[in-house]
Amino acid sequence: DFLNALEEVHPAFGVSEEELEQVMQNGIYDFDTAVDEFLRRGKLLVEQVRSSERTPLVSVLLYGSPGSGKTALAAFIAKESKFPFIKLISPDNMVGFMESQKVQAITKVFTDSYKSPLSVVVVDNIERLIGVDGLDYTPVNDRFSNSVLQTLLVLFARRPPKGRRLLIIATSSLLSTLKKLGLGEVFDSEQLVPSITTIGAFNHILRKVKLFANNSQLEDALQRLAGLGFRTGDTDDLDFATDEAFPTPEIGVKKLLSVIEMARQEPENVTKRLVDGVEAVARKRVRDKNALRYADA
Amino acid sequence: DFLNALEEVHPAFGVSEEELEQVMQNGIYDFDTAVDEFLRRGKLLVEQVRSSERTPLVSVLLYGSPGSGKTALAAFIAKESKFPFIKLISPDNMVGFMESQKVQAITKVFTDSYKSPLSVVVVDNIERLIGVDGLDYTPVNDRFSNSVLQTLLVLFARRPPKGRRLLIIATSSLLSTLKKLGLGEVFDSEQLVPSITTIGAFNHILRKVKLFANNSQLEDALQRLAGLGFRTGDTDDLDFATDEAFPTPEIGVKKLLSVIEMARQEPENVTKRLVDGVEAVARKRVRDKNALRYADA
Amino acid sequence: DFLNALEEVHPAFGVSEEELEQVMQNGIYDFDTAVDEFLRRGKLLVEQVRSSERTPLVSVLLYGSPGSGKTALAAFIAKESKFPFIKLISPDNMVGFMESQKVQAITKVFTDSYKSPLSVVVVDNIERLIGVDGLDYTPVNDRFSNSVLQTLLVLFARRPPKGRRLLIIATSSLLSTLKKLGLGEVFDSEQLVPSITTIGAFNHILRKVKLFANNSQLEDALQRLAGLGFRTGDTDDLDFATDEAFPTPEIGVKKLLSVIEMARQEPENVTKRLVDGVEAVARKRVRDKNALRYADA
Amino acid sequence: DFLNALEEVHPAFGVSEEELEQVMQNGIYDFDTAVDEFLRRGKLLVEQVRSSERTPLVSVLLYGSPGSGKTALAAFIAKESKFPFIKLISPDNMVGFMESQKVQAITKVFTDSYKSPLSVVVVDNIERLIGVDGLDYTPVNDRFSNSVLQTLLVLFARRPPKGRRLLIIATSSLLSTLKKLGLGEVFDSEQLVPSITTIGAFNHILRKVKLFANNSQLEDALQRLAGLGFRTGDTDDLDFATDEAFPTPEIGVKKLLSVIEMARQEPENVTKRLVDGVEAVARKRVRDKNALRYADA
Amino acid sequence: DFLNALEEVHPAFGVSEEELEQVMQNGIYDFDTAVDEFLRRGKLLVEQVRSSERTPLVSVLLYGSPGSGKTALAAFIAKESKFPFIKLISPDNMVGFMESQKVQAITKVFTDSYKSPLSVVVVDNIERLIGVDGLDYTPVNDRFSNSVLQTLLVLFARRPPKGRRLLIIATSSLLSTLKKLGLGEVFDSEQLVPSITTIGAFNHILRKVKLFANNSQLEDALQRLAGLGFRTGDTDDLDFATDEAFPTPEIGVKKLLSVIEMARQEPENVTKRLVDGVEAVARKRVRDKNALRYADA
Amino acid sequence: DFLNALEEVHPAFGVSEEELEQVMQNGIYDFDTAVDEFLRRGKLLVEQVRSSERTPLVSVLLYGSPGSGKTALAAFIAKESKFPFIKLISPDNMVGFMESQKVQAITKVFTDSYKSPLSVVVVDNIERLIGVDGLDYTPVNDRFSNSVLQTLLVLFARRPPKGRRLLIIATSSLLSTLKKLGLGEVFDSEQLVPSITTIGAFNHILRKVKLFANNSQLEDALQRLAGLGFRTGDTDDLDFATDEAFPTPEIGVKKLLSVIEMARQEPENVTKRLVDGVEAVARKRVRDKNALRYADA
Ligand SMILES: Nc1ncnc2c1ncn2[C@@H]1O[C@H](COP(=O)(O)OP(=O)(O)OP(=O)(O)O)[C@@H](O)[C@H]1O
Ligand SMILES: Nc1ncnc2c1ncn2[C@@H]1O[C@H](COP(=O)(O)OP(=O)(O)OP(=O)(O)O)[C@@H](O)[C@H]1O
Ligand SMILES: Nc1ncnc2c1ncn2[C@@H]1O[C@H](COP(=O)(O)OP(=O)(O)OP(=O)(O)O)[C@@H](O)[C@H]1O
Ligand SMILES: Nc1ncnc2c1ncn2[C@@H]1O[C@H](COP(=O)(O)OP(=O)(O)OP(=O)(O)O)[C@@H](O)[C@H]1O
Ligand SMILES: Nc1ncnc2c1ncn2[C@@H]1O[C@H](COP(=O)(O)OP(=O)(O)OP(=O)(O)O)[C@@H](O)[C@H]1O
Ligand SMILES: Nc1ncnc2c1ncn2[C@@H]1O[C@H](COP(=O)(O)OP(=O)(O)OP(=O)(O)O)[C@@H](O)[C@H]1O
Ligand SMILES: [Mg+2]
Ligand SMILES: [Mg+2]
Ligand SMILES: [Mg+2]
Ligand SMILES: [Mg+2]
Ligand SMILES: [Mg+2]
Ligand SMILES: [Mg+2]
């Protein structure tokens, strides 16, 4: 099955396997049916590139709040494709680059990809690549690299040469800002990265990471989390969270793992620290989401 | 007849035939009478340049929403002219160029064209050449290359030397923005690229691409598309869509082809994926069109 | 007489006759009494420079909507002066120049002119020389070359050395913008280029260009044009058009010639194409004029 | 007497006499008692520099509408001082200079002046030196050379070395803009250049320039000018014009001389052209003055 | 006990002990239980980095008003960790650096830290590193180094290589500005630096610094300080100050020490000077805090 | 006594005595008790630096309207300290410097000061060093050198090395602007420079400068000045002027000396010129002060 397939990819031309592994070193927890559905859709896009003659270029944007797991999921889908060319474009490798060096580095990855019959290019953290300076939605906020932006706008739409096929997986936490920058029309598909919104998801993860010594402690924690507004049912629709009129709390999986480790430091206080930490993050999320929805309207 | 003439153009000085072919590799579907009318008008402009002494320079802007088929239609008209000099100026070939390099490259194509008695220059995707950063209609949004813009403004109006004639075909998805930049007065003619607004057009295309196994499936899909608001009659006037008070849904042909290929990946779900995909794009279109109309008022 | 004097100018030091001819290659039609008056005033300015000791520097701005004939008229007046030094400063010859190169080229023409006892310098299309980016009347629109602007502001006011006399003829389509840039005070005189506002003017031009096969076709066309709001009387005052409370439609002569040639391509539809084309341009004009008047208030 | 003293200045170290003559080549007409008062005050400032130990640096700003005679009056006062060092800093001599070159040229004149016991430096047309781009009073209008501005701000306040004395005469048409730029506090004195506001002043000048063949023509013209609102009495106070609640029309002497020469070209129409020309300029002045007063409030 | 452990750190690779000592040369006064709690939380973060496998990168932001003791506390926590690599990134060492030099210097410290198994990097005074120009909360205030900001955004989130662990301690007085710049999501934890809000805290410090000759003078001073609104009870919750609806006065410990030394200069007036000085600072604080709270809402 | 101590400072390493003398060449008039109090406070700060171990760095801002005597007073306090290192950083010595040169020059003075056990650095006219362009309080007014600002922000807060002590005396006329730039928190003390607000102060100065021939003339002048609103009592509190609800007129001592010398030129009119000159300046002051108070609120 696709989800548990984290194994035997043969080393191949143009694949930096170690880098892919590193960004998902805590694994991928299957904490929700939304995660299954998300990965199934990712796989379909891979298959489309592999098989459809009419669409040699397919691009998808994975978006979600900071720490929701975007980078890990992009890497997972890329690796599972087993395409001969898989590359990750990340701001982590461009610290201190000048604009022109960024443009050159990005362009090179795409130009290289055009030499392989089947390629995946992951463009991680677009807002950081472009250097957008925050969550400010004002029209005058224009401190970013327009040359990097224009390069991406063209590369995301440029067809590979005859006989070559390319899947572009981009990630971002700033969907509204991207749209304002003209990146709202360029992707063939946009997928919301599932975050943790249900008690079931907490249950799944808390068991995996073994935070609690016994079941009754765990039950107590889950009850307190339910008190924060997390739903006790299951998610049966991927877009559930965004369709609701009333925003429910949510927390990204990476953020949750961070809160868990911080709580682990105070064994005598672990439940309080966990719940307080989740609450602090989740409250911000609700606020941001409202802003997001407003900005997308 | 003009529409089906995609054949035997003899190789000629100054024509990059392969490039022209590539941008219309999925062919031109005659999905609507609006397409015929559009191409007839394009042909008339070609004839004007060929024959009229008084207008050695004719320029036309093809505008329409992203993915509506602008590039393919510009290439088609250019190729059909069979003029000895046909060149495509595209942002795809200027990735990573500095402003001054863009200005130089653009200027060179025009200067070369002045050496041929009859020329067509396609200036594709003006907003991307200039580097305008999005759909933001605010007056302060001035992140673009003013030097490229000023170069285009002059070249679009500069008469070729005595005895030379030139047709300029420009394309853009951002009509209102162009107007704000002073590009609203420079073209002799502006043509809206027809997009898909009728069930008849869907019927035409869905049959061509053979998405459905049988007719009843197709009928079912068309019925659901009608449910989205697409009209069941025919377009008899090219400007119909923009003259209406109440915006009707629409989708560009390139976008539709992309949605179709994505749907094809899920044979068990093909109708749902098709209709959902069309709806997602069409809803955006209606919104953008309102903005467009407002901005043009 | 002055109007029909397009002949025997002797080649002279500092006159680029060919360039002057080229910009008025379709001739100057005497379509209205306003054209006579306009040219008479131009001639008076030439005489003032030639004869008055107290004003060795005289400058005039010819303004009017795009395609109204500004460049042709400036060239005509300049050529008729028969001054030994006549030069045209045009953005057409500065494509791709950097700011400093523009400043240098402009300065050189003026410095050269100071060596001739009598000179005319035509500064064509000021807004394009400065690189103002459009028709936007907002105060924040500051995308232009301030160094070119400052150079012009000083050169337009700098007296030639003792014993030298200079006529500056500048042209522009953006009167309000120029005023906002501080160019509203520098000219000794400002002249509105007459555009076509009467049926009589249409009649004059349509006969000259022989668009129609017979008189009844012409009469029919004129009647339909009258239906658009063009006046049937004559203009007896140059400033008539701008003094009215209710804006009348108008179209520049260059624009009209372009519409005529386009209509000529469809013999079976010529009247409809002509009237539609005129209407499309004229409607915009009314809108712009309102904006202009407002901005000048 | 001071007013008619345009004679026998002996050539001296550091005085560019020719340049001073050139900027007042049409002479200084004593058209009003306000002119006498203005010059008397100028002379007092010269005497203060010559005699007072406590104020080795005195600076005055001559301001008035474009063409009011600022440059000529500054040159006249400077020349009459007969100080051994008199220099004119003018944008006319800095066409095409880069910011740093302007800063250097300006600084050099001041540094040179510090070597003479008594000096006058005329800084003509400050707004053009700084490159302020117009009459726009918006706060965002910041297209100018801040480095030139900062240089002037410091030089206008820097005391000359021990034993040296300096009079700075600056001119400007944009008082309000200067104030917004921080130049409102730096001058020891500000003098409004008198413009023509009375019929008496017109009478004085029109006689001097001999525009009319006979007295009755002149009388007729003066009557029509009175019809425009120009006052028939005399100005007995220099600040009269600005103290009034209701703005009276006015025209600068340089502008008037330009209108006169233009009218002289049409002998048959001379009165109409004169009055029309004066009216056109004067109407603008009233408007600007209101803006000025508002901005100064 | 942790608080009084300011002793025997052994010199180690990559630790600049002297620099750490210098920034806390006035010692750390334990003036409140909030100080204990603050230091306890700091120690927990150190332990998390030392022990937890899942979080090799932990980052904390210490924020508080200017002079509240941020730098001293950051240095104290860092030094107490006794990690082999401890470095301080401070704007004090980058005076006169160009943007690119700052980026390089910052990047080097992080790159060096990746070579040690356990590291602490203190990034002091983020707003000064970035060069944000003040307390202005307007959206247009964009005078800062975006390249330094983008570098920090990436470095604060970049995982150290396998087997390395890193604690980042950042400090700032401009929490709201940081959030607007996109720095609101990057830290795993944010800690408010406790400032002096209670009479008990004053009592503690005033005794330590021996400002008063006798107890009755001290009592009198404390009573007057209570009159300014400082609370007489104790703080039992770290977040007390920010949770209140009605802002209480507060003063940073560094500011208080400065006021104390100034008062010490006027022995005859010491109480008045102390209370006036505290009042002046505290009043500003209340104002700023309101702004802060508003901006954070 | 401190006030009359303008004598026998021994030449010392690092003191530019001549420069200090030059900026107070008209002496320091003891026109008001506020002047005594001001100088007493200055002396206390000097003593604090000399004696207190805990505050090796003390900074004070002297602020007041243009021409109020800031530079002279800063120089006086510095000179009276008799510290071995006294330096003046003034925009007068940086005319034409580029930003980087300014940063370098400023940094050098501070670095040099760190070598002396006791130092005073006067940073004169901060707004001119930074290049802020005026009195405009709008948020978009950001024409200044951010790199100079950031340098000052860091240097004003950076502790001298162990065993060194430094007094920083800064001056400015634009308190509100400085605060907006983030300079509101950096000084340990802020002192308003006393300006002339009472008839007593006028009396003191007018006698010293011997403007009037006899006492009755003086009495008459003082009476007229009282008519302008200047108070007849004495100032007994330094902050009196700013605490009042209703602004009283005021004039800086430097401005007053300038008005006096100008009046001296017209012996027959001396009283009128004096009173008019004072009124013109004082009226502006009231206006500015309101703006100041508003901006500080
Ligand atoms: N279902 C899951 N989806 C994504 N990540 C998961 C999942 N389960 C566990 N993880 C782990 O959670 C972490 C997700 O972190 P990741 O860096 O991908 O988040 P991110 O959204 O890219 O964060 P950022 O906004 O900071 O870029 C990884 O360590 C990953 O191994
Ligand atoms: N009637 C038609 N008009 C235009 N394109 C058509 C038509 N029928 C089929 N096509 C195909 O549809 C696609 C249109 O894509 P094209 O790149 O021209 O769109 P576009 O509007 O330029 O897109 P973009 O906004 O991304 O530049 C081409 O593959 C073309 O072969
Ligand atoms: N009366 C006329 N006045 C001006 N041009 C005329 C007239 N009659 C005929 N023409 C022709 O009309 C054309 C005017 O074009 P011209 O380039 O001068 O217009 P323009 O206002 O400068 O346009 P643009 O705004 O594009 O610079 C020329 O070809 C000229 O020969
Ligand atoms: N009383 C007068 N005052 C000033 N100029 C006079 C006077 N009488 C005659 N003139 C003449 O009028 C002209 C004034 O022009 P001048 O260039 O000094 O005006 P300006 O205000 O500096 O113009 P601009 O605003 O364009 O710089 C000169 O030619 C001068 O000789
Ligand atoms: N409990 C305490 N917490 C912090 N500092 C203390 C404490 N007690 C005494 N101090 C002393 O107070 C001073 C705090 O100054 P510090 O420079 O750390 O403040 P800061 O908040 O970083 O100031 P700035 O905003 O100017 O950067 C140090 O001298 C430190 O030794
Ligand atoms: N009590 C006084 N305080 C200050 N200056 C005095 C005093 N009495 C006389 N003066 C003289 O007044 C002048 C003050 O000028 P100074 O340059 O110090 O003013 P400023 O406020 O620095 O001006 P600016 O705003 O232009 O920098 C000096 O010449 C000084 O000798
Ligand atoms: Mg990520
Ligand atoms: Mg295209
Ligand atoms: Mg033209
Ligand atoms: Mg002048
Ligand atoms: Mg600090
Ligand atoms: Mg000063």
Side-chain angles (χ1 to χ4, degrees), chain A:
Chain A
D1 128 28
F2 191 66
L3 229 198
N4 301 324
L6 293 161
E7 80 291 53
E8 86 296 69
V9 181
H10 306 295
F13 154 75
V15 179
S16 42
E17 217 161 320
E18 203 171 336
E19 203 176 15
L20 294 174
E21 289 298 351
Q22 197 189 352
V23 299
M24 47 182 169
Q25 68 187 34
N26 284 336
I28 302 285
Y29 297 126
D30 185 19
F31 58 78
D32 204 340
T33 56
V35 174
D36 296 313
E37 174 63 11
F38 184 93
L39 292 173
R40 195 183 66 81
R41 292 206 184 176
K43 199 172 178 187
L44 281 174
L45 292 170
V46 168
E47 290 320 308
Q48 182 180 353
V49 171
R50 200 192 310 275
S51 65
S52 166
E53 297 261 333
R54 284 197 186 82
T55 49
L57 175 71
V58 174
S59 61
V60 60
L61 174 70
L62 310 188
Y63 67 98
S65 42
S68 55
K70 300 172 298 297
T71 305
L73 289 172
F76 184 76
I77 294 169
K79 200 180 148 202
E80 287 305 300
S81 77
K82 299 184 185 166
F83 282 6
F85 184 98
I86 303 175
K87 278 278 159 64
L88 180 63
I89 296 176
S90 161
D92 278 14
N93 305 323
M94 300 192 191
V95 174
F97 276 34
M98 286 176 308
E99 279 193 62
S100 61
Q101 288 175 298
K102 284 190 193 174
V103 166
Q104 210 179 328
I106 294 166
T107 307
K108 184 172 181 345
V109 172
F110 278 85
T111 309
D112 285 356
S113 81
Y114 299 150
K115 293 179 194 140
S116 160
L118 289 171
S119 307
V120 185
V121 172
V122 175
V123 185
D124 197 31
N125 218 333
I126 300 187
E127 62 271 27
R128 210 50 56 234
L129 278 177
I130 297 175
V132 173
D133 62 7
L135 289 157
D136 235 347
Y137 297 106
T138 72
V140 290
N141 178 350
D142 59 1
R143 304 262 317 181
F144 60 88
S145 165
N146 196 36
S147 69
V148 173
L149 169 62
Q150 296 298 328
T151 300
L152 291 179
L153 278 167
V154 173
L155 288 173
F156 284 174
R158 181 158 75 166
R159 290 182 161 235
K162 231 172 183 165
R164 310 308 191 192
R165 299 191 192 152
L166 172 63
L167 173 64
I168 299 171
I169 308 179
T171 79
S172 172
S173 307
L174 295 176
L175 186 61
S176 311
T177 302
L178 293 200
K179 290 195 171 171
K180 289 202 323 182
L181 295 176
L183 282 158
E185 289 280 359
V186 295
F187 298 103
D188 294 301
S189 173
E190 297 174 358
Q191 301 291 340
L192 175 67
V193 168
S195 54
I196 289 142
T197 58
T198 65
I199 295 304
F202 279 109
N203 190 12
H204 183 106
I205 289 170
L206 288 170
R207 282 177 194 277
K208 290 271 177 186
V209 299
K210 302 193 173 60
L211 180 65
F212 294 106
N214 55 56
N215 249 3
S216 79
Q217 262 194 324
L218 171 60
E219 288 304 328
D220 175 41
L222 292 176
Q223 212 151 358
R224 293 211 218 169
L225 289 166
L228 297 180
F230 288 94
R231 289 175 309 117
T232 47
D234 200 42
T235 337
D236 40 31
D237 183 288
L238 188 65
D239 298 327
F240 185 93
T242 53
D243 279 357
E244 285 220 328
F246 199 115
T248 54
E250 60 164 333
I251 182 168
V253 60
K254 183 181 173 188
K255 287 273 173 187
L256 177 58
L257 294 177
S258 166
V259 168
I260 286 170
E261 293 315 302
M262 222 168 278
R264 204 192 290 276
Q265 300 307 311
E266 293 191 71
E268 66 287 5
N269 252 331
V270 63
T271 306
K272 179 168 174 25
R273 289 284 164 248
L274 173 73
V275 177
D276 284 2
V278 169
E279 186 180 13
V281 176
R283 212 189 280 155
K284 270 196 219 170
R285 284 287 162 282
V286 168
R287 218 162 51 209
D288 285 4
K289 207 168 188 176
N290 281 336
L292 220 84
R293 182 172 299 141
Y294 170 79
D296 289 355

Side-chain angles (χ1 to χ4, degrees), chain E residues 12-289:
Chain E
F13 153 74
V15 179
S16 43
E17 217 160 319
E18 203 171 337
E19 203 176 14
L20 293 174
E21 290 298 351
Q22 197 188 352
V23 299
M24 47 180 168
Q25 68 188 34
N26 284 335
I28 302 284
Y29 297 126
D30 185 18
F31 59 78
D32 204 340
T33 55
V35 174
D36 296 313
E37 174 64 11
F38 184 93
L39 291 172
R40 196 183 65 81
R41 292 207 184 176
K43 198 173 178 185
L44 281 174
L45 293 170
V46 168
E47 291 320 309
Q48 182 180 355
V49 171
R50 200 191 310 275
S51 65
S52 166
E53 297 260 334
R54 283 197 187 81
T55 49
L57 175 71
V58 174
S59 60
V60 59
L61 175 70
L62 310 188
Y63 68 98
S65 43
S68 55
K70 300 172 299 298
T71 305
L73 290 172
F76 184 76
I77 295 169
K79 200 181 148 202
E80 288 304 299
S81 78
K82 299 184 185 167
F83 283 5
F85 184 97
I86 303 175
K87 278 280 158 65
L88 179 63
I89 295 176
S90 161
D92 278 14
N93 305 324
M94 300 193 191
V95 173
F97 276 33
M98 287 177 307
E99 281 193 61
S100 62
Q101 288 175 297
K102 285 190 192 174
V103 166
Q104 212 179 326
I106 293 167
T107 307
K108 184 172 182 344
V109 173
F110 278 84
T111 309
D112 285 355
S113 80
Y114 298 151
K115 292 178 195 141
S116 160
L118 289 171
S119 307
V120 184
V121 172
V122 175
V123 185
D124 197 29
N125 217 333
I126 301 187
E127 61 271 26
R128 211 48 59 231
L129 279 177
I130 297 174
V132 174
D133 62 8
L135 289 157
D136 235 346
Y137 297 105
T138 71
V140 290
N141 178 350
D142 59 1
R143 304 263 318 183
F144 60 87
S145 165
N146 197 35
S147 70
V148 173
L149 169 61
Q150 297 298 327
T151 300
L152 290 179
L153 278 167
V154 173
L155 288 174
F156 284 174
R158 181 158 74 165
R159 291 183 161 234
K162 234 176 180 162
R164 309 309 190 192
R165 298 190 193 153
L166 173 61
L167 172 65
I168 299 171
I169 309 178
T171 79
S172 172
S173 306
L174 295 176
L175 187 61
S176 311
T177 303
L178 293 201
K179 290 195 172 171
K180 290 201 323 180
L181 295 175
L183 281 157
E185 288 280 359
V186 295
F187 298 104
D188 293 301
S189 173
E190 297 174 357
Q191 301 290 339
L192 175 67
V193 168
S195 53
I196 290 143
T197 57
T198 65
I199 295 303
F202 279 108
N203 189 13
H204 183 106
I205 290 171
L206 287 171
R207 281 175 195 279
K208 290 269 177 188
V209 299
K210 302 191 174 59
L211 180 65
F212 293 106
N214 55 58
N215 248 2
S216 79
Q217 262 194 324
L218 172 59
E219 287 304 329
D220 176 42
L222 292 176
Q223 211 150 359
R224 292 211 218 170
L225 289 167
L228 297 180
F230 287 96
R231 290 174 307 116
T232 48
D234 201 41
T235 338
D236 41 30
D237 183 288
L238 189 64
D239 299 325
F240 186 93
T242 54
D243 278 357
E244 286 221 327
F246 199 114
T248 54
E250 61 164 332
I251 183 169
V253 61
K254 183 182 174 188
K255 287 274 172 186
L256 177 58
L257 293 178
S258 167
V259 168
I260 286 170
E261 293 315 302
M262 222 168 279
R264 203 191 293 274
Q265 299 307 311
E266 292 191 70
E268 66 287 5
N269 252 330
V270 62
T271 306
K272 180 169 174 27
R273 289 287 163 247
L274 174 73
V275 176
D276 284 1
V278 169
E279 185 180 13
V281 176
R283 212 188 280 155
K284 271 195 219 170
R285 284 287 162 284
V286 168
R287 217 161 52 210
D288 285 5
K289 207 167 186 178

Side-chain angles (χ1 to χ4, degrees), chain C residues 48 52 54, chain D residues 29 202-219 221-222 225 256-278:
Chain C
Q48 181 180 353
S52 167
R54 284 198 186 80
Chain D
Y29 297 126
F202 278 109
N203 189 12
H204 183 105
I205 290 170
L206 288 171
R207 280 176 197 277
K208 290 271 178 187
V209 300
K210 300 192 174 60
L211 180 66
F212 294 106
N214 54 57
N215 249 0
S216 78
Q217 262 194 323
L218 172 60
E219 289 304 328
L222 292 175
L225 289 166
L256 177 58
L257 294 177
S258 166
V259 168
I260 286 170
E261 293 315 302
M262 223 168 278
R264 203 192 291 277
Q265 300 307 310
E266 290 190 73
E268 66 289 1
N269 253 331
V270 63
T271 306
K272 180 170 174 25
R273 287 288 163 245
L274 175 73
V275 177
D276 284 2
V278 169

Side-chain angles (χ1 to χ4, degrees), chain D residues 23 66-72 124-125 171-173 254:
Chain D
V23 298
S68 55
K70 300 172 299 296
T71 306
D124 198 30
N125 218 334
T171 80
S172 172
S173 307
K254 184 182 174 188

Side-chain angles (χ1 to χ4, degrees), chain C residues 159, chain D residues 24-29 31 35 66-73 125 173 253-254 257:
Chain C
R159 291 184 162 234
Chain D
M24 48 180 168
Q25 68 187 34
N26 284 334
I28 302 286
Y29 297 126
F31 58 78
V35 175
S68 55
K70 300 172 299 296
T71 306
L73 289 172
N125 218 334
S173 307
V253 60
K254 184 182 174 188
L257 294 177

